[in-house]
Amino acid sequence: MTESIRMTGGQALARQLVREGITDVFGIPGVQLDWATDGLHEVRDRVRFWVPRHEQTASYMADGYARTTGRIGACMVVPGPGLLNAASGLATAWACNSRVLAIVGQIRSAAIGKGLGLLHEIDGQSQVLSSLTKWHALARAPQDVPLLVREAVRHLRSGRPRPVGIEIPPDVLSASAEVALVDPPLHEDGRIVPDRGLVERAAKLLHGARFPVVYAGGGTLAAGASAELARVADLLQAPVVMSDNGRGALSDRHPLATATLGGRAVLPHADVVLVVGSRFIETATAGPAWPQDQAKFIFVDCDPSAWAPPQQPALAIHGDAKLALAALAGALPGGRPSRAADMEKVRAWCDLQAREVEPQWSWTRELRAALPEDGVVVQDLTQVTYFSRALLPLYRPDTSITPGRQGTLGFGFPTALGVAAGNPERAVVCVSGDGGFGYGLAELATAAKYRLPVVTIVFNDRQFANVKHLHMRIFGRATGHELDNPDFAKLADAFGVKGAAIRSPDELATLLPRAIASREPWLIEAQVGDMADPWHLVRLREVGAMAGRYTAPPNPLGAPPADPSPLPPN
């Protein structure tokens, strides 16, 4: 700690953020935060304060920033409605392993919990915040502020990446006291080191397997474990099935890479499956993503809940994915026959099925053709992205951002703004539907104000299409799905953003490269009608209402062996 000097709680907050290397804060100012925003003004040469139009956007921007830069994404909101507005972004960050620091105002310290009806007061705010973060604390005095910021950052950099929160009452922010700032350690790495004995047991199981398969989830990306994943895959010659959240962990050009559709071909042949950084849960059934009675499953995760029931692991390794895969690579001998030819068959099998889903396949093809390899596509929830988040080829980590299991409709455009704020040199494309884009269309003002070069493609079919599809399938009629939309090109012009309307993938192929190259914010309206249902291809398994609704081509690897060869003991 440094020598104490007199400062306000707001100054202590801003100056400790600087010490922690936090360079960007996304937030909405308000009366309970006045001394905090003034503190940020004093360090404006070192911390940028981005002000969008809604607290929800502040938390989404922090999430997109964190997931694509590897740095901490910080957001700051007033208490009560400010926190509640920001909650969906924090919930998304929780679901997607995102390092987000939420700085939340409070009412005056003496009034907390008394129900006096003060401005922005809600009962049990601390409990609300604790449900959205893995750690949170309330500052009681200006001297607490640097210590709590330091502790928050320590939690962000240890264990599973998830949001953390600090509540600071206005009287703490405005009070002056002798405060000591805290020096962060020179090197801070809270990665969980896996047990060497368990790693060696896993290596023995995998080396003895007839057909090992790796399943990589979002935790693989969060750990920065792409190189280690590739090394293990090469040594085992094991197909790598990437979940929607894990897409990009291995380049789709790698001969062993596939997405969940390809998983349907390889997993029936597997006798040992290594699950890395994934809960491996089928969200439609709340059961395991694949039956666990025909293969042995090894789980690697920094969160032990990954292998809790209903999972039935043969072996579970508690540890950071990067460290565990590196140790596993060191314990594997390699020298196995290549599976490249098998995986070529799997890719052709996937492509055959994907091409039948139109027009999504054509829109996705043109999106990929225009997007640079390091460009980021933020995929909201719409008929095209239900397809593309599973089937758009990806070549680098952290180039596809989705809301994960949270499924937060409308997250896309605000999150893309945070991605662009943290990655000014990269192309950022947001793909949204008219329903989802409507949640945050006021943020066109934010894109224009900061000249954030996000190209947003809004697929306008004038409806919540998935609601319609599900209602028609279940009830034979649909309710509440119709939308009345503005003229999106005129809307863009009103905000000072470039806009255009298109009607075909061919027009996108012409316009999108020009929009990306302009380095300006764009709004492209894609006027479309009803689209083919993509759901039979985008789950690891067919489940529920989709089961039996289509006939897949025969497994390109043939029928799985009826009597798998024996495996070594665990």
Side-chain angles (χ1 to χ4, degrees), residues 334-347:
R336 297 174 66 99
S338 171
R339 286 214 180 269
D342 284 342
M343 294 307 294
E344 281 292 336
K345 295 176 184 177
V346 171
R347 273 187 284 278

Side-chain angles (χ1 to χ4, degrees), residues 459-525:
F459 285 92
N460 180 12
D461 58 5
R462 295 159 293 284
Q463 61 185 337
F464 290 119
N466 219 41
V467 171
K468 177 184 176 181
H469 289 167
L470 287 170
H471 283 195
M472 293 300 296
R473 188 181 303 145
I474 298 169
F475 308 114
R477 59 176 182 254
T479 302
H481 63 287
E482 303 97 337
L483 296 173
D484 287 336
N485 292 324
D487 182 317
F488 285 103
K490 289 183 178 178
L491 182 71
D493 184 64
F495 279 97
V497 170
K498 290 186 179 298
I502 60 174
R503 293 176 176 79
S504 72
D506 288 342
E507 290 179 274
L508 183 68
T510 300
L511 180 58
L512 184 55
R514 179 162 62 91
I516 291 173
S518 74
R519 306 304 296 156
E520 294 184 90
W522 271 78
L523 178 60
I524 299 173
E525 176 191 1

Side-chain angles (χ1 to χ4, degrees), residues 200-218:
E200 290 176 352
R201 287 172 59 188
K204 184 177 180 182
L205 269 175
L206 289 162
H207 180 63
R210 170 184 46 80
F211 197 119
V213 170
V214 180
Y215 186 89

Side-chain angles (χ1 to χ4, degrees), residues 352-550:
L352 176 67
Q353 296 173 81
R355 287 172 179 268
E356 295 179 356
V357 180
E358 284 286 13
Q360 290 97 313
W361 184 84
S362 292
W363 287 109
T364 299
R365 177 192 61 199
E366 300 306 341
L367 173 63
R368 179 66 273 172
L371 192 68
E373 285 201 9
D374 69 341
V376 181
V377 57
V378 182
Q379 307 200 59
D380 210 321
L381 307 181
T382 186
Q383 296 304 299
V384 171
T385 59
Y386 294 139
F387 177 90
S388 65
R389 69 185 181 187
L391 294 164
L392 172 74
L394 299 173
Y395 307 123
R396 298 193 188 182
D398 304 318
T399 53
S400 172
I401 304 299
T402 79
R405 63 177 173 83
Q406 201 61 36
T408 31
L409 180 63
F411 100 108
F413 181 48
T415 301
L417 296 176
V419 173
N423 302 270
E425 75 291 348
R426 295 170 72 181
V428 181
V429 175
C430 171
V431 182
S432 183
D434 48 345
F437 183 71
Y439 281 48
L441 60 81
E443 300 303 342
L444 286 167
T446 306
K449 175 181 179 180
Y450 295 109
R451 306 312 301 168
L452 291 169
V454 174
V455 179
T456 302
I457 306 166
V458 177
F459 285 92
N460 180 12
D461 58 5
R462 295 159 293 284
Q463 61 185 337
F464 290 119
N466 219 41
V467 171
K468 177 184 176 181
H469 289 167
L470 287 170
H471 283 195
M472 293 300 296
R473 188 181 303 145
I474 298 169
F475 308 114
R477 59 176 182 254
T479 302
H481 63 287
E482 303 97 337
L483 296 173
D484 287 336
N485 292 324
D487 182 317
F488 285 103
K490 289 183 178 178
L491 182 71
D493 184 64
F495 279 97
V497 170
K498 290 186 179 298
I502 60 174
R503 293 176 176 79
S504 72
D506 288 342
E507 290 179 274
L508 183 68
T510 300
L511 180 58
L512 184 55
R514 179 162 62 91
I516 291 173
S518 74
R519 306 304 296 156
E520 294 184 90
W522 271 78
L523 178 60
I524 299 173
E525 176 191 1
Q527 298 174 355
V528 296
D530 286 339
M531 296 189 183
D533 193 332
W535 284 102
H536 61 288
L537 298 185
V538 300
R539 300 286 191 192
L540 183 59
R541 287 192 289 161
E542 281 190 280
V543 293
M546 293 310 306
R549 294 187 70 238
Y550 91 115

